[in-house]
Amino acid sequence: MRVIKSIVLSALLVCGAAGTAFATNGLLLEGYGPVSHAMGGTSMAFDNGAAAMTNNPATLGLAPEGNRIDIAVGMLRPNVRWDMGQGMSERSDSRSFVMPAVGYVRRQGDWAYGIGAYALGGMGTDYPDAGMYSQLVVGKVLLPIAYNISDKLTVGGTLEYIKADMDLVMTDPQYGMRIFDFRDGSDFTGATSGWGVSGKLGITYKLHERVTFGSAYQFKGELSDLTGDGARVKNLNMPASWSAGFAVKPFENVMLTADYTRIFWSDAMKTLHVSQGNIAMPLKQNWKDQDVLALGVAWDILPQLTLRGGVNFANNPIQDNVVPLFPAIIRNHYTTGFGYRFNENHSVDASFGYAPKVEVSNGAPFTGTVSHSQTTSQLMYSIKF
């Protein structure tokens, strides 16, 4: 009971201090937890630790019996530049963000359950010379459960509490007039905040002793209006998504993974209605649905050491004219990492990802070209007992 209370407290703290997770697959990370992240974000059909609660909760049923605590931290380092034309350009000052995560899971017989919190994602930029700043922070507290119906079939679900925070400083690029100005000065919270609930359902099925299929459906997360500092942001939602994938072990010490995900941004990111004082303005988003293909490999090179690698390919869901404020335009990711087991109770996992530069040209009012590249890294310490 003392362990569970500690995890609950940590989960609430993490959700309140998720940090700005700069956009990757839209505003979602390309992988949750360093095991999945190192393998291109694949996670549908193999045990990937407590991060399963936000990936595919059914994979909790693939874990060994007992308790597990994962404590992780992620670092995102974006490089965004806005070329406004006529010799004017500015690099965003939002260049480094920290994302904590914590999860506890217990597998007992045919049941598995737990609690945790993960920084879901976000986006933002800081152009001080242009008088433009944006920060969107989204975190989740999660309650997962899984049940092994048979030795082949497992089903699982996660109940999710979503919290979102947003800052926005917006200046008319033509006349230099300040339009919106709400910002709390913190990298971990926002001047406006709102919340919502959602959930996820998943399955895994062992087609063969060396082949496992997995699939999960993420329900749309409808958030309340984000309010604070005399401002209000309406119609910000988290998208529904569907994922399916395989894990294949051609050799005892090698695993190959492949996942496909469809993210339904078009139903979630339409038009944000922002108001402050007597000023109200629609910020059109009109994102497109996104297809993501992830491939991964894990090689147990030594009994205590696993090497991992992967790729993550996606189309850009962003339309023109909103990119300087919310440049979630990254397409491809290349990832690697490792896991090291000190003994049967303690281990560490790490991952690193690189996203090459993508450029998008804008029309009025944010005329110019925006480029975006970034690196991501995650580090996790695990305790089993």
Side-chain angles (χ1 to χ4, degrees):
M1 184 62 68
R2 185 176 301 172
V3 171
I4 294 177
K5 288 181 178 178
S6 298
I7 294 297
V8 171
L9 178 59
S10 298
L12 294 174
L13 290 174
V14 169
C15 191
T20 303
F22 217 89
T24 51
N25 288 334
L27 59 82
L28 304 176
L29 295 179
E30 72 270 29
Y32 293 94
V35 177
S36 169
H37 181 238
M39 299 172 66
T42 57
S43 60
M44 286 296 107
F46 64 96
D47 176 21
N48 52 95
M53 65 180 69
T54 192
N55 294 326
N56 179 1
T59 60
L60 292 174
L62 304 178
E65 289 213 12
N67 302 278
R68 173 172 179 152
I69 298 175
D70 288 347
I71 303 170
V73 62
M75 175 68 71
L76 290 92
R77 298 185 61 85
N79 183 9
V80 179
R81 180 174 292 276
W82 181 13
D83 185 349
M84 308 167 202
Q86 298 181 344
M88 296 185 298
S89 66
E90 188 171 0
R91 181 185 178 190
S92 171
D93 281 350
S94 297
R95 301 175 191 173
S96 182
F97 305 103
V98 178
M99 299 188 311
V102 61
Y104 163 78
V105 292
R106 176 177 175 81
R107 166 83 191 283
Q108 185 174 19
D110 292 329
W111 291 93
Y113 53 90
I115 186 172
Y118 284 80
L120 177 65
M123 51 190 176
T125 50
D126 184 7
Y127 305 108
D129 292 343
M132 307 285 276
Y133 176 86
S134 63
Q135 175 175 276
L136 173 62
V137 182
V138 185
K140 285 185 178 182
V141 173
L142 307 115
L143 296 170
I145 189 168
Y147 179 69
N148 292 337
I149 295 177
S150 68
D151 59 353
K152 292 185 177 181
L153 177 63
T154 301
V155 296
T158 299
L159 178 64
E160 305 172 342
Y161 167 84
I162 310 170
K163 185 176 184 293
D165 294 80
M166 186 174 177
D167 291 328
L168 182 63
V169 178
M170 187 175 175
T171 302
D172 187 307
Q174 183 175 0
Y175 299 104
M177 180 183 300
R178 185 63 54 87
I179 302 173
F180 297 115
D181 190 352
F182 50 94
R183 177 180 182 180
D184 70 350
S186 171
D187 290 334
F188 303 103
T189 60
T192 63
S193 63
W195 65 277
V197 294
S198 185
K200 197 165 196 174
L201 296 176
I203 65 167
T204 62
Y205 187 80
K206 293 184 179 179
L207 300 171
H208 183 272
E209 63 179 5
R210 292 185 179 271
V211 181
T212 302
F213 168 79
S215 182
Y217 182 81
Q218 172 71 57
F219 292 92
K220 179 182 177 181
E222 296 191 1
L223 300 173
S224 65
D225 293 351
L226 278 61
T227 59
D229 199 21
R232 182 180 297 270
V233 180
K234 297 182 178 181
N235 206 32
L236 175 65
N237 300 304
M238 300 308 298
S241 64
W242 173 78
S243 302
F246 292 88
V248 180
K249 298 194 72 174
F251 307 102
E252 188 63 33
N253 64 335
V254 176
M255 180 171 64
L256 306 177
T257 58
D259 287 359
Y260 165 78
T261 298
R262 177 77 167 177
I263 307 175
F264 302 105
W265 290 114
S266 62
D267 188 45
M269 293 294 285
K270 297 179 180 179
T271 298
L272 302 181
H273 296 276
V274 183
S275 61
Q276 186 180 28
N278 297 322
I279 300 175
M281 177 181 293
L283 298 180
K284 293 183 179 181
Q285 303 299 307
N286 295 329
W287 289 23
K288 298 179 294 184
D289 291 343
Q290 189 175 33
D291 297 295
V292 182
L293 175 64
L295 304 173
V297 59
W299 177 23
D300 295 330
I301 190 171
L302 296 171
Q304 70 273 26
L305 178 63
T306 300
L307 302 182
R308 305 182 179 107
V311 293
N312 183 293
F313 303 115
N315 60 300
N316 173 18
I318 301 291
Q319 301 293 312
D320 292 342
N321 301 332
V322 298
V323 173
L325 281 171
F326 302 115
I329 60 176
I330 288 293
R331 294 174 182 169
N332 302 328
H333 308 79
Y334 303 93
T335 63
T336 188
F338 70 90
Y340 186 82
R341 295 169 289 280
F342 299 102
N343 51 49
E344 63 181 11
N345 300 113
H346 299 271
S347 61
V348 64
D349 293 274
S351 62
F352 176 82
Y354 170 68
K357 183 170 70 173
V358 175
E359 292 186 348
V360 173
S361 296
N362 278 351
F366 303 116
T367 304
T369 300
V370 173
S371 65
H372 179 192
S373 63
Q374 73 180 29
T375 61
T376 55
S377 57
Q378 299 182 33
L379 178 66
M380 179 175 73
Y381 186 76
S382 302
I383 305 171
K384 301 176 182 178
F385 56 97

